mmCIF file with all atom_site columns, all heavy atoms in Angstrom:
data_model
loop_
_atom_site.group_PDB
_atom_site.id
_atom_site.type_symbol
_atom_site.label_atom_id
_atom_site.label_alt_id
_atom_site.label_comp_id
_atom_site.label_asym_id
_atom_site.label_entity_id
_atom_site.label_seq_id
_atom_site.pdbx_PDB_ins_code
_atom_site.Cartn_x
_atom_site.Cartn_y
_atom_site.Cartn_z
_atom_site.occupancy
_atom_site.B_iso_or_equiv
_atom_site.pdbx_formal_charge
_atom_site.auth_seq_id
_atom_site.auth_comp_id
_atom_site.auth_asym_id
_atom_site.auth_atom_id
_atom_site.pdbx_PDB_model_num
ATOM 1   N N   . ALA A 1 1  ? 8.543  -21.436 12.090  1.00 0.00 ? 1  ALA A N   1
ATOM 2   C CA  . ALA A 1 1  ? 8.267  -20.676 10.862  1.00 0.00 ? 1  ALA A CA  1
ATOM 3   C C   . ALA A 1 1  ? 9.354  -20.951 9.838   1.00 0.00 ? 1  ALA A C   1
ATOM 4   O O   . ALA A 1 1  ? 9.082  -21.128 8.645   1.00 0.00 ? 1  ALA A O   1
ATOM 5   C CB  . ALA A 1 1  ? 8.179  -19.192 11.170  1.00 0.00 ? 1  ALA A CB  1
ATOM 6   N N   . HIS A 1 2  ? 10.593 -21.000 10.279  1.00 0.00 ? 2  HIS A N   1
ATOM 7   C CA  . HIS A 1 2  ? 11.696 -21.289 9.360   1.00 0.00 ? 2  HIS A CA  1
ATOM 8   C C   . HIS A 1 2  ? 11.519 -22.674 8.742   1.00 0.00 ? 2  HIS A C   1
ATOM 9   O O   . HIS A 1 2  ? 11.746 -22.858 7.536   1.00 0.00 ? 2  HIS A O   1
ATOM 10  C CB  . HIS A 1 2  ? 13.042 -21.228 10.097  1.00 0.00 ? 2  HIS A CB  1
ATOM 11  C CG  . HIS A 1 2  ? 13.463 -19.850 10.487  1.00 0.00 ? 2  HIS A CG  1
ATOM 12  N ND1 . HIS A 1 2  ? 13.758 -18.864 9.583   1.00 0.00 ? 2  HIS A ND1 1
ATOM 13  C CD2 . HIS A 1 2  ? 13.645 -19.285 11.709  1.00 0.00 ? 2  HIS A CD2 1
ATOM 14  C CE1 . HIS A 1 2  ? 14.105 -17.773 10.198  1.00 0.00 ? 2  HIS A CE1 1
ATOM 15  N NE2 . HIS A 1 2  ? 14.029 -17.990 11.516  1.00 0.00 ? 2  HIS A NE2 1
ATOM 16  N N   . ILE A 1 3  ? 11.154 -23.628 9.545   1.00 0.00 ? 3  ILE A N   1
ATOM 17  C CA  . ILE A 1 3  ? 10.981 -25.007 9.061   1.00 0.00 ? 3  ILE A CA  1
ATOM 18  C C   . ILE A 1 3  ? 9.850  -25.065 8.039   1.00 0.00 ? 3  ILE A C   1
ATOM 19  O O   . ILE A 1 3  ? 9.977  -25.683 6.977   1.00 0.00 ? 3  ILE A O   1
ATOM 20  C CB  . ILE A 1 3  ? 10.730 -25.972 10.242  1.00 0.00 ? 3  ILE A CB  1
ATOM 21  C CG1 . ILE A 1 3  ? 11.990 -26.095 11.084  1.00 0.00 ? 3  ILE A CG1 1
ATOM 22  C CG2 . ILE A 1 3  ? 10.281 -27.336 9.751   1.00 0.00 ? 3  ILE A CG2 1
ATOM 23  C CD1 . ILE A 1 3  ? 11.785 -26.823 12.404  1.00 0.00 ? 3  ILE A CD1 1
ATOM 24  N N   . VAL A 1 4  ? 8.729  -24.392 8.348   1.00 0.00 ? 4  VAL A N   1
ATOM 25  C CA  . VAL A 1 4  ? 7.573  -24.401 7.435   1.00 0.00 ? 4  VAL A CA  1
ATOM 26  C C   . VAL A 1 4  ? 7.942  -23.755 6.108   1.00 0.00 ? 4  VAL A C   1
ATOM 27  O O   . VAL A 1 4  ? 7.657  -24.280 5.031   1.00 0.00 ? 4  VAL A O   1
ATOM 28  C CB  . VAL A 1 4  ? 6.365  -23.679 8.095   1.00 0.00 ? 4  VAL A CB  1
ATOM 29  C CG1 . VAL A 1 4  ? 5.277  -23.436 7.079   1.00 0.00 ? 4  VAL A CG1 1
ATOM 30  C CG2 . VAL A 1 4  ? 5.831  -24.491 9.259   1.00 0.00 ? 4  VAL A CG2 1
ATOM 31  N N   . VAL A 1 5  ? 8.633  -22.610 6.188   1.00 0.00 ? 5  VAL A N   1
ATOM 32  C CA  . VAL A 1 5  ? 9.020  -21.910 4.954   1.00 0.00 ? 5  VAL A CA  1
ATOM 33  C C   . VAL A 1 5  ? 9.961  -22.789 4.143   1.00 0.00 ? 5  VAL A C   1
ATOM 34  O O   . VAL A 1 5  ? 9.841  -22.905 2.918   1.00 0.00 ? 5  VAL A O   1
ATOM 35  C CB  . VAL A 1 5  ? 9.677  -20.542 5.304   1.00 0.00 ? 5  VAL A CB  1
ATOM 36  C CG1 . VAL A 1 5  ? 10.353 -19.939 4.092   1.00 0.00 ? 5  VAL A CG1 1
ATOM 37  C CG2 . VAL A 1 5  ? 8.629  -19.595 5.868   1.00 0.00 ? 5  VAL A CG2 1
ATOM 38  N N   . HIS A 1 6  ? 10.900 -23.423 4.820   1.00 0.00 ? 6  HIS A N   1
ATOM 39  C CA  . HIS A 1 6  ? 11.870 -24.278 4.131   1.00 0.00 ? 6  HIS A CA  1
ATOM 40  C C   . HIS A 1 6  ? 11.156 -25.445 3.435   1.00 0.00 ? 6  HIS A C   1
ATOM 41  O O   . HIS A 1 6  ? 11.468 -25.780 2.281   1.00 0.00 ? 6  HIS A O   1
ATOM 42  C CB  . HIS A 1 6  ? 12.905 -24.794 5.141   1.00 0.00 ? 6  HIS A CB  1
ATOM 43  C CG  . HIS A 1 6  ? 14.046 -25.515 4.494   1.00 0.00 ? 6  HIS A CG  1
ATOM 44  N ND1 . HIS A 1 6  ? 14.957 -24.878 3.685   1.00 0.00 ? 6  HIS A ND1 1
ATOM 45  C CD2 . HIS A 1 6  ? 14.388 -26.826 4.524   1.00 0.00 ? 6  HIS A CD2 1
ATOM 46  C CE1 . HIS A 1 6  ? 15.822 -25.764 3.246   1.00 0.00 ? 6  HIS A CE1 1
ATOM 47  N NE2 . HIS A 1 6  ? 15.507 -26.962 3.754   1.00 0.00 ? 6  HIS A NE2 1
ATOM 48  N N   . ARG A 1 7  ? 10.221 -26.048 4.129   1.00 0.00 ? 7  ARG A N   1
ATOM 49  C CA  . ARG A 1 7  ? 9.474  -27.174 3.528   1.00 0.00 ? 7  ARG A CA  1
ATOM 50  C C   . ARG A 1 7  ? 8.648  -26.712 2.331   1.00 0.00 ? 7  ARG A C   1
ATOM 51  O O   . ARG A 1 7  ? 8.562  -27.400 1.300   1.00 0.00 ? 7  ARG A O   1
ATOM 52  C CB  . ARG A 1 7  ? 8.568  -27.823 4.573   1.00 0.00 ? 7  ARG A CB  1
ATOM 53  C CG  . ARG A 1 7  ? 9.341  -28.679 5.548   1.00 0.00 ? 7  ARG A CG  1
ATOM 54  C CD  . ARG A 1 7  ? 8.445  -29.365 6.520   1.00 0.00 ? 7  ARG A CD  1
ATOM 55  N NE  . ARG A 1 7  ? 9.216  -30.123 7.505   1.00 0.00 ? 7  ARG A NE  1
ATOM 56  C CZ  . ARG A 1 7  ? 8.767  -30.489 8.671   1.00 0.00 ? 7  ARG A CZ  1
ATOM 57  N NH1 . ARG A 1 7  ? 7.525  -30.204 9.025   1.00 0.00 ? 7  ARG A NH1 1
ATOM 58  N NH2 . ARG A 1 7  ? 9.526  -31.166 9.507   1.00 0.00 ? 7  ARG A NH2 1
ATOM 59  N N   . GLN A 1 8  ? 8.043  -25.527 2.467   1.00 0.00 ? 8  GLN A N   1
ATOM 60  C CA  . GLN A 1 8  ? 7.247  -24.995 1.351   1.00 0.00 ? 8  GLN A CA  1
ATOM 61  C C   . GLN A 1 8  ? 8.142  -24.731 0.141   1.00 0.00 ? 8  GLN A C   1
ATOM 62  O O   . GLN A 1 8  ? 7.759  -24.992 -0.998  1.00 0.00 ? 8  GLN A O   1
ATOM 63  C CB  . GLN A 1 8  ? 6.524  -23.724 1.777   1.00 0.00 ? 8  GLN A CB  1
ATOM 64  C CG  . GLN A 1 8  ? 5.373  -23.983 2.726   1.00 0.00 ? 8  GLN A CG  1
ATOM 65  C CD  . GLN A 1 8  ? 4.711  -22.696 3.218   1.00 0.00 ? 8  GLN A CD  1
ATOM 66  O OE1 . GLN A 1 8  ? 5.243  -21.624 3.045   1.00 0.00 ? 8  GLN A OE1 1
ATOM 67  N NE2 . GLN A 1 8  ? 3.536  -22.847 3.825   1.00 0.00 ? 8  GLN A NE2 1
ATOM 68  N N   . LEU A 1 9  ? 9.331  -24.210 0.437   1.00 0.00 ? 9  LEU A N   1
ATOM 69  C CA  . LEU A 1 9  ? 10.265 -23.949 -0.656  1.00 0.00 ? 9  LEU A CA  1
ATOM 70  C C   . LEU A 1 9  ? 10.672 -25.260 -1.332  1.00 0.00 ? 9  LEU A C   1
ATOM 71  O O   . LEU A 1 9  ? 10.768 -25.332 -2.572  1.00 0.00 ? 9  LEU A O   1
ATOM 72  C CB  . LEU A 1 9  ? 11.512 -23.221 -0.128  1.00 0.00 ? 9  LEU A CB  1
ATOM 73  C CG  . LEU A 1 9  ? 11.292 -21.782 0.326   1.00 0.00 ? 9  LEU A CG  1
ATOM 74  C CD1 . LEU A 1 9  ? 12.572 -21.225 0.939   1.00 0.00 ? 9  LEU A CD1 1
ATOM 75  C CD2 . LEU A 1 9  ? 10.826 -20.910 -0.824  1.00 0.00 ? 9  LEU A CD2 1
ATOM 76  N N   . GLN A 1 10 ? 10.885 -26.303 -0.542  1.00 0.00 ? 10 GLN A N   1
ATOM 77  C CA  . GLN A 1 10 ? 11.225 -27.610 -1.116  1.00 0.00 ? 10 GLN A CA  1
ATOM 78  C C   . GLN A 1 10 ? 10.075 -28.134 -1.980  1.00 0.00 ? 10 GLN A C   1
ATOM 79  O O   . GLN A 1 10 ? 10.313 -28.694 -3.065  1.00 0.00 ? 10 GLN A O   1
ATOM 80  C CB  . GLN A 1 10 ? 11.544 -28.617 0.002   1.00 0.00 ? 10 GLN A CB  1
ATOM 81  C CG  . GLN A 1 10 ? 12.885 -28.388 0.664   1.00 0.00 ? 10 GLN A CG  1
ATOM 82  C CD  . GLN A 1 10 ? 13.137 -29.362 1.804   1.00 0.00 ? 10 GLN A CD  1
ATOM 83  O OE1 . GLN A 1 10 ? 12.188 -29.890 2.390   1.00 0.00 ? 10 GLN A OE1 1
ATOM 84  N NE2 . GLN A 1 10 ? 14.400 -29.576 2.122   1.00 0.00 ? 10 GLN A NE2 1
ATOM 85  N N   . ASP A 1 11 ? 8.856  -27.948 -1.473  1.00 0.00 ? 11 ASP A N   1
ATOM 86  C CA  . ASP A 1 11 ? 7.678  -28.385 -2.252  1.00 0.00 ? 11 ASP A CA  1
ATOM 87  C C   . ASP A 1 11 ? 7.601  -27.628 -3.565  1.00 0.00 ? 11 ASP A C   1
ATOM 88  O O   . ASP A 1 11 ? 7.302  -28.211 -4.630  1.00 0.00 ? 11 ASP A O   1
ATOM 89  C CB  . ASP A 1 11 ? 6.392  -28.179 -1.448  1.00 0.00 ? 11 ASP A CB  1
ATOM 90  C CG  . ASP A 1 11 ? 6.289  -29.138 -0.269  1.00 0.00 ? 11 ASP A CG  1
ATOM 91  O OD1 . ASP A 1 11 ? 7.010  -30.158 -0.231  1.00 0.00 ? 11 ASP A OD1 1
ATOM 92  O OD2 . ASP A 1 11 ? 5.441  -28.864 0.617   1.00 0.00 ? 11 ASP A OD2 1
ATOM 93  N N   . ILE A 1 12 ? 7.880  -26.341 -3.508  1.00 0.00 ? 12 ILE A N   1
ATOM 94  C CA  . ILE A 1 12 ? 7.808  -25.517 -4.728  1.00 0.00 ? 12 ILE A CA  1
ATOM 95  C C   . ILE A 1 12 ? 8.871  -25.979 -5.722  1.00 0.00 ? 12 ILE A C   1
ATOM 96  O O   . ILE A 1 12 ? 8.601  -26.123 -6.918  1.00 0.00 ? 12 ILE A O   1
ATOM 97  C CB  . ILE A 1 12 ? 7.980  -24.023 -4.379  1.00 0.00 ? 12 ILE A CB  1
ATOM 98  C CG1 . ILE A 1 12 ? 6.745  -23.547 -3.625  1.00 0.00 ? 12 ILE A CG1 1
ATOM 99  C CG2 . ILE A 1 12 ? 8.215  -23.185 -5.613  1.00 0.00 ? 12 ILE A CG2 1
ATOM 100 C CD1 . ILE A 1 12 ? 6.894  -22.164 -3.027  1.00 0.00 ? 12 ILE A CD1 1
ATOM 101 N N   . VAL A 1 13 ? 10.076 -26.216 -5.221  1.00 0.00 ? 13 VAL A N   1
ATOM 102 C CA  . VAL A 1 13 ? 11.162 -26.674 -6.095  1.00 0.00 ? 13 VAL A CA  1
ATOM 103 C C   . VAL A 1 13 ? 10.790 -28.028 -6.713  1.00 0.00 ? 13 VAL A C   1
ATOM 104 O O   . VAL A 1 13 ? 11.016 -28.264 -7.901  1.00 0.00 ? 13 VAL A O   1
ATOM 105 C CB  . VAL A 1 13 ? 12.493 -26.742 -5.304  1.00 0.00 ? 13 VAL A CB  1
ATOM 106 C CG1 . VAL A 1 13 ? 13.562 -27.469 -6.112  1.00 0.00 ? 13 VAL A CG1 1
ATOM 107 C CG2 . VAL A 1 13 ? 12.957 -25.349 -4.924  1.00 0.00 ? 13 VAL A CG2 1
ATOM 108 N N   . LEU A 1 14 ? 10.206 -28.902 -5.911  1.00 0.00 ? 14 LEU A N   1
ATOM 109 C CA  . LEU A 1 14 ? 9.796  -30.211 -6.416  1.00 0.00 ? 14 LEU A CA  1
ATOM 110 C C   . LEU A 1 14 ? 8.741  -30.055 -7.520  1.00 0.00 ? 14 LEU A C   1
ATOM 111 O O   . LEU A 1 14 ? 8.825  -30.699 -8.575  1.00 0.00 ? 14 LEU A O   1
ATOM 112 C CB  . LEU A 1 14 ? 9.255  -31.082 -5.269  1.00 0.00 ? 14 LEU A CB  1
ATOM 113 C CG  . LEU A 1 14 ? 8.837  -32.493 -5.644  1.00 0.00 ? 14 LEU A CG  1
ATOM 114 C CD1 . LEU A 1 14 ? 10.047 -33.294 -6.143  1.00 0.00 ? 14 LEU A CD1 1
ATOM 115 C CD2 . LEU A 1 14 ? 8.197  -33.188 -4.461  1.00 0.00 ? 14 LEU A CD2 1
ATOM 116 N N   . VAL A 1 15 ? 7.778  -29.165 -7.250  1.00 0.00 ? 15 VAL A N   1
ATOM 117 C CA  . VAL A 1 15 ? 6.733  -28.919 -8.265  1.00 0.00 ? 15 VAL A CA  1
ATOM 118 C C   . VAL A 1 15 ? 7.367  -28.365 -9.529  1.00 0.00 ? 15 VAL A C   1
ATOM 119 O O   . VAL A 1 15 ? 7.023  -28.767 -10.651 1.00 0.00 ? 15 VAL A O   1
ATOM 120 C CB  . VAL A 1 15 ? 5.654  -27.960 -7.710  1.00 0.00 ? 15 VAL A CB  1
ATOM 121 C CG1 . VAL A 1 15 ? 4.748  -27.465 -8.824  1.00 0.00 ? 15 VAL A CG1 1
ATOM 122 C CG2 . VAL A 1 15 ? 4.837  -28.667 -6.639  1.00 0.00 ? 15 VAL A CG2 1
ATOM 123 N N   . GLN A 1 16 ? 8.332  -27.462 -9.366  1.00 0.00 ? 16 GLN A N   1
ATOM 124 C CA  . GLN A 1 16 ? 8.990  -26.888 -10.540 1.00 0.00 ? 16 GLN A CA  1
ATOM 125 C C   . GLN A 1 16 ? 9.749  -27.956 -11.329 1.00 0.00 ? 16 GLN A C   1
ATOM 126 O O   . GLN A 1 16 ? 9.705  -27.982 -12.564 1.00 0.00 ? 16 GLN A O   1
ATOM 127 C CB  . GLN A 1 16 ? 9.959  -25.785 -10.105 1.00 0.00 ? 16 GLN A CB  1
ATOM 128 C CG  . GLN A 1 16 ? 9.272  -24.514 -9.691  1.00 0.00 ? 16 GLN A CG  1
ATOM 129 C CD  . GLN A 1 16 ? 10.279 -23.465 -9.250  1.00 0.00 ? 16 GLN A CD  1
ATOM 130 O OE1 . GLN A 1 16 ? 11.415 -23.794 -8.960  1.00 0.00 ? 16 GLN A OE1 1
ATOM 131 N NE2 . GLN A 1 16 ? 9.833  -22.224 -9.223  1.00 0.00 ? 16 GLN A NE2 1
ATOM 132 N N   . GLN A 1 17 ? 10.433 -28.817 -10.585 1.00 0.00 ? 17 GLN A N   1
ATOM 133 C CA  . GLN A 1 17 ? 11.170 -29.887 -11.272 1.00 0.00 ? 17 GLN A CA  1
ATOM 134 C C   . GLN A 1 17 ? 10.212 -30.800 -12.024 1.00 0.00 ? 17 GLN A C   1
ATOM 135 O O   . GLN A 1 17 ? 10.487 -31.232 -13.165 1.00 0.00 ? 17 GLN A O   1
ATOM 136 C CB  . GLN A 1 17 ? 11.993 -30.692 -10.258 1.00 0.00 ? 17 GLN A CB  1
ATOM 137 C CG  . GLN A 1 17 ? 13.203 -29.948 -9.750  1.00 0.00 ? 17 GLN A CG  1
ATOM 138 C CD  . GLN A 1 17 ? 13.944 -30.724 -8.666  1.00 0.00 ? 17 GLN A CD  1
ATOM 139 O OE1 . GLN A 1 17 ? 13.397 -31.662 -8.088  1.00 0.00 ? 17 GLN A OE1 1
ATOM 140 N NE2 . GLN A 1 17 ? 15.173 -30.314 -8.406  1.00 0.00 ? 17 GLN A NE2 1
ATOM 141 N N   . GLN A 1 18 ? 9.084  -31.082 -11.380 1.00 0.00 ? 18 GLN A N   1
ATOM 142 C CA  . GLN A 1 18 ? 8.080  -31.925 -12.058 1.00 0.00 ? 18 GLN A CA  1
ATOM 143 C C   . GLN A 1 18 ? 7.544  -31.209 -13.298 1.00 0.00 ? 18 GLN A C   1
ATOM 144 O O   . GLN A 1 18 ? 7.351  -31.832 -14.356 1.00 0.00 ? 18 GLN A O   1
ATOM 145 C CB  . GLN A 1 18 ? 6.946  -32.262 -11.100 1.00 0.00 ? 18 GLN A CB  1
ATOM 146 C CG  . GLN A 1 18 ? 7.343  -33.228 -10.010 1.00 0.00 ? 18 GLN A CG  1
ATOM 147 C CD  . GLN A 1 18 ? 6.248  -33.407 -8.950  1.00 0.00 ? 18 GLN A CD  1
ATOM 148 O OE1 . GLN A 1 18 ? 5.268  -32.666 -8.946  1.00 0.00 ? 18 GLN A OE1 1
ATOM 149 N NE2 . GLN A 1 18 ? 6.447  -34.382 -8.072  1.00 0.00 ? 18 GLN A NE2 1
ATOM 150 N N   . GLN A 1 19 ? 7.337  -29.889 -13.137 1.00 0.00 ? 19 GLN A N   1
ATOM 151 C CA  . GLN A 1 19 ? 6.837  -29.109 -14.278 1.00 0.00 ? 19 GLN A CA  1
ATOM 152 C C   . GLN A 1 19 ? 7.873  -29.087 -15.404 1.00 0.00 ? 19 GLN A C   1
ATOM 153 O O   . GLN A 1 19 ? 7.530  -29.241 -16.595 1.00 0.00 ? 19 GLN A O   1
ATOM 154 C CB  . GLN A 1 19 ? 6.524  -27.676 -13.848 1.00 0.00 ? 19 GLN A CB  1
ATOM 155 C CG  . GLN A 1 19 ? 5.266  -27.537 -13.028 1.00 0.00 ? 19 GLN A CG  1
ATOM 156 C CD  . GLN A 1 19 ? 4.022  -27.831 -13.846 1.00 0.00 ? 19 GLN A CD  1
ATOM 157 O OE1 . GLN A 1 19 ? 3.917  -27.485 -15.026 1.00 0.00 ? 19 GLN A OE1 1
ATOM 158 N NE2 . GLN A 1 19 ? 3.072  -28.529 -13.236 1.00 0.00 ? 19 GLN A NE2 1
ATOM 159 N N   . ILE A 1 20 ? 9.131  -28.930 -15.004 1.00 0.00 ? 20 ILE A N   1
ATOM 160 C CA  . ILE A 1 20 ? 10.181 -28.898 -16.025 1.00 0.00 ? 20 ILE A CA  1
ATOM 161 C C   . ILE A 1 20 ? 10.263 -30.240 -16.733 1.00 0.00 ? 20 ILE A C   1
ATOM 162 O O   . ILE A 1 20 ? 10.379 -30.323 -17.972 1.00 0.00 ? 20 ILE A O   1
ATOM 163 C CB  . ILE A 1 20 ? 11.527 -28.522 -15.369 1.00 0.00 ? 20 ILE A CB  1
ATOM 164 C CG1 . ILE A 1 20 ? 11.503 -27.056 -14.961 1.00 0.00 ? 20 ILE A CG1 1
ATOM 165 C CG2 . ILE A 1 20 ? 12.699 -28.789 -16.317 1.00 0.00 ? 20 ILE A CG2 1
ATOM 166 C CD1 . ILE A 1 20 ? 12.678 -26.627 -14.102 1.00 0.00 ? 20 ILE A CD1 1
ATOM 167 N N   . GLU A 1 21 ? 10.194 -31.329 -15.942 1.00 0.00 ? 21 GLU A N   1
ATOM 168 C CA  . GLU A 1 21 ? 10.212 -32.661 -16.561 1.00 0.00 ? 21 GLU A CA  1
ATOM 169 C C   . GLU A 1 21 ? 8.996  -32.856 -17.475 1.00 0.00 ? 21 GLU A C   1
ATOM 170 O O   . GLU A 1 21 ? 9.102  -33.408 -18.582 1.00 0.00 ? 21 GLU A O   1
ATOM 171 C CB  . GLU A 1 21 ? 10.234 -33.739 -15.477 1.00 0.00 ? 21 GLU A CB  1
ATOM 172 C CG  . GLU A 1 21 ? 11.556 -33.853 -14.757 1.00 0.00 ? 21 GLU A CG  1
ATOM 173 C CD  . GLU A 1 21 ? 11.504 -34.844 -13.591 1.00 0.00 ? 21 GLU A CD  1
ATOM 174 O OE1 . GLU A 1 21 ? 10.503 -35.575 -13.462 1.00 0.00 ? 21 GLU A OE1 1
ATOM 175 O OE2 . GLU A 1 21 ? 12.464 -34.850 -12.823 1.00 0.00 ? 21 GLU A OE2 1
ATOM 176 N N   . TYR A 1 22 ? 7.881  -32.372 -16.963 1.00 0.00 ? 22 TYR A N   1
ATOM 177 C CA  . TYR A 1 22 ? 6.658  -32.476 -17.766 1.00 0.00 ? 22 TYR A CA  1
ATOM 178 C C   . TYR A 1 22 ? 6.806  -31.708 -19.071 1.00 0.00 ? 22 TYR A C   1
ATOM 179 O O   . TYR A 1 22 ? 6.490  -32.208 -20.154 1.00 0.00 ? 22 TYR A O   1
ATOM 180 C CB  . TYR A 1 22 ? 5.474  -31.943 -16.952 1.00 0.00 ? 22 TYR A CB  1
ATOM 181 C CG  . TYR A 1 22 ? 4.223  -31.738 -17.774 1.00 0.00 ? 22 TYR A CG  1
ATOM 182 C CD1 . TYR A 1 22 ? 3.459  -32.822 -18.200 1.00 0.00 ? 22 TYR A CD1 1
ATOM 183 C CD2 . TYR A 1 22 ? 3.821  -30.461 -18.136 1.00 0.00 ? 22 TYR A CD2 1
ATOM 184 C CE1 . TYR A 1 22 ? 2.322  -32.648 -18.964 1.00 0.00 ? 22 TYR A CE1 1
ATOM 185 C CE2 . TYR A 1 22 ? 2.690  -30.279 -18.914 1.00 0.00 ? 22 TYR A CE2 1
ATOM 186 C CZ  . TYR A 1 22 ? 1.931  -31.373 -19.321 1.00 0.00 ? 22 TYR A CZ  1
ATOM 187 O OH  . TYR A 1 22 ? 0.815  -31.167 -20.067 1.00 0.00 ? 22 TYR A OH  1
ATOM 188 N N   . PHE A 1 23 ? 7.316  -30.484 -18.970 1.00 0.00 ? 23 PHE A N   1
ATOM 189 C CA  . PHE A 1 23 ? 7.465  -29.676 -20.178 1.00 0.00 ? 23 PHE A CA  1
ATOM 190 C C   . PHE A 1 23 ? 8.524  -30.263 -21.116 1.00 0.00 ? 23 PHE A C   1
ATOM 191 O O   . PHE A 1 23 ? 8.382  -30.235 -22.351 1.00 0.00 ? 23 PHE A O   1
ATOM 192 C CB  . PHE A 1 23 ? 7.829  -28.232 -19.824 1.00 0.00 ? 23 PHE A CB  1
ATOM 193 C CG  . PHE A 1 23 ? 6.685  -27.461 -19.233 1.00 0.00 ? 23 PHE A CG  1
ATOM 194 C CD1 . PHE A 1 23 ? 6.835  -26.798 -18.040 1.00 0.00 ? 23 PHE A CD1 1
ATOM 195 C CD2 . PHE A 1 23 ? 5.457  -27.408 -19.862 1.00 0.00 ? 23 PHE A CD2 1
ATOM 196 C CE1 . PHE A 1 23 ? 5.779  -26.104 -17.488 1.00 0.00 ? 23 PHE A CE1 1
ATOM 197 C CE2 . PHE A 1 23 ? 4.398  -26.719 -19.323 1.00 0.00 ? 23 PHE A CE2 1
ATOM 198 C CZ  . PHE A 1 23 ? 4.564  -26.064 -18.111 1.00 0.00 ? 23 PHE A CZ  1
ATOM 199 N N   . SER A 1 24 ? 9.573  -30.779 -20.494 1.00 0.00 ? 24 SER A N   1
ATOM 200 C CA  . SER A 1 24 ? 10.611 -31.418 -21.328 1.00 0.00 ? 24 SER A CA  1
ATOM 201 C C   . SER A 1 24 ? 10.031 -32.602 -22.098 1.00 0.00 ? 24 SER A C   1
ATOM 202 O O   . SER A 1 24 ? 10.304 -32.777 -23.292 1.00 0.00 ? 24 SER A O   1
ATOM 203 C CB  . SER A 1 24 ? 11.761 -31.902 -20.449 1.00 0.00 ? 24 SER A CB  1
ATOM 204 O OG  . SER A 1 24 ? 12.410 -30.817 -19.868 1.00 0.00 ? 24 SER A OG  1
ATOM 205 N N   . GLU A 1 25 ? 9.263  -33.385 -21.396 1.00 0.00 ? 25 GLU A N   1
ATOM 206 C CA  . GLU A 1 25 ? 8.630  -34.540 -22.033 1.00 0.00 ? 25 GLU A CA  1
ATOM 207 C C   . GLU A 1 25 ? 7.650  -34.089 -23.111 1.00 0.00 ? 25 GLU A C   1
ATOM 208 O O   . GLU A 1 25 ? 7.597  -34.671 -24.207 1.00 0.00 ? 25 GLU A O   1
ATOM 209 C CB  . GLU A 1 25 ? 7.917  -35.380 -20.951 1.00 0.00 ? 25 GLU A CB  1
ATOM 210 C CG  . GLU A 1 25 ? 7.488  -36.731 -21.410 1.00 0.00 ? 25 GLU A CG  1
ATOM 211 C CD  . GLU A 1 25 ? 8.659  -37.639 -21.765 1.00 0.00 ? 25 GLU A CD  1
ATOM 212 O OE1 . GLU A 1 25 ? 9.736  -37.544 -21.142 1.00 0.00 ? 25 GLU A OE1 1
ATOM 213 O OE2 . GLU A 1 25 ? 8.515  -38.417 -22.684 1.00 0.00 ? 25 GLU A OE2 1
ATOM 214 N N   . MET A 1 26 ? 6.908  -33.049 -22.746 1.00 0.00 ? 26 MET A N   1
ATOM 215 C CA  . MET A 1 26 ? 5.916  -32.540 -23.694 1.00 0.00 ? 26 MET A CA  1
ATOM 216 C C   . MET A 1 26 ? 6.604  -31.971 -24.935 1.00 0.00 ? 26 MET A C   1
ATOM 217 O O   . MET A 1 26 ? 6.175  -32.225 -26.078 1.00 0.00 ? 26 MET A O   1
ATOM 218 C CB  . MET A 1 26 ? 5.075  -31.461 -23.027 1.00 0.00 ? 26 MET A CB  1
ATOM 219 C CG  . MET A 1 26 ? 3.841  -31.098 -23.790 1.00 0.00 ? 26 MET A CG  1
ATOM 220 S SD  . MET A 1 26 ? 2.768  -30.086 -22.788 1.00 0.00 ? 26 MET A SD  1
ATOM 221 C CE  . MET A 1 26 ? 3.306  -28.509 -23.304 1.00 0.00 ? 26 MET A CE  1
ATOM 222 N N   . ILE A 1 27 ? 7.678  -31.252 -24.713 1.00 0.00 ? 27 ILE A N   1
ATOM 223 C CA  . ILE A 1 27 ? 8.396  -30.663 -25.842 1.00 0.00 ? 27 ILE A CA  1
ATOM 224 C C   . ILE A 1 27 ? 9.004  -31.769 -26.701 1.00 0.00 ? 27 ILE A C   1
ATOM 225 O O   . ILE A 1 27 ? 8.979  -31.715 -27.938 1.00 0.00 ? 27 ILE A O   1
ATOM 226 C CB  . ILE A 1 27 ? 9.473  -29.678 -25.333 1.00 0.00 ? 27 ILE A CB  1
ATOM 227 C CG1 . ILE A 1 27 ? 8.806  -28.456 -24.748 1.00 0.00 ? 27 ILE A CG1 1
ATOM 228 C CG2 . ILE A 1 27 ? 10.443 -29.288 -26.431 1.00 0.00 ? 27 ILE A CG2 1
ATOM 229 C CD1 . ILE A 1 27 ? 9.733  -27.526 -24.015 1.00 0.00 ? 27 ILE A CD1 1
ATOM 230 N N   . LYS A 1 28 ? 9.540  -32.758 -26.036 1.00 0.00 ? 28 LYS A N   1
ATOM 231 C CA  . LYS A 1 28 ? 10.134 -33.880 -26.762 1.00 0.00 ? 28 LYS A CA  1
ATOM 232 C C   . LYS A 1 28 ? 9.093  -34.570 -27.649 1.00 0.00 ? 28 LYS A C   1
ATOM 233 O O   . LYS A 1 28 ? 9.364  -34.906 -28.797 1.00 0.00 ? 28 LYS A O   1
ATOM 234 C CB  . LYS A 1 28 ? 10.716 -34.866 -25.744 1.00 0.00 ? 28 LYS A CB  1
ATOM 235 C CG  . LYS A 1 28 ? 11.589 -35.923 -26.341 1.00 0.00 ? 28 LYS A CG  1
ATOM 236 C CD  . LYS A 1 28 ? 12.150 -36.754 -25.201 1.00 0.00 ? 28 LYS A CD  1
ATOM 237 C CE  . LYS A 1 28 ? 13.059 -37.817 -25.729 1.00 0.00 ? 28 LYS A CE  1
ATOM 238 N NZ  . LYS A 1 28 ? 13.561 -38.689 -24.680 1.00 0.00 ? 28 LYS A NZ  1
#
């Protein structure tokens, strides 16, 4: 369960980073 939660958190962070990059690009 710890491993699954940790991986999900990593996926979420990755999605957020992609979203931030996307928004940064979009804003630019």
Side-chain angles (χ1 to χ4, degrees):
H2 289 295
I3 292 170
V4 169
V5 168
H6 188 67
R7 285 183 183 159
Q8 288 176 347
L9 290 175
Q10 286 177 336
D11 290 343
I12 290 170
V13 169
L14 182 63
V15 168
Q16 285 179 343
Q17 287 176 343
Q18 289 172 350
Q19 286 292 322
I20 289 170
E21 288 175 10
Y22 168 74
F23 288 127
S24 294
E25 193 65 33
M26 193 169 94
I27 290 170
K28 191 176 181 183

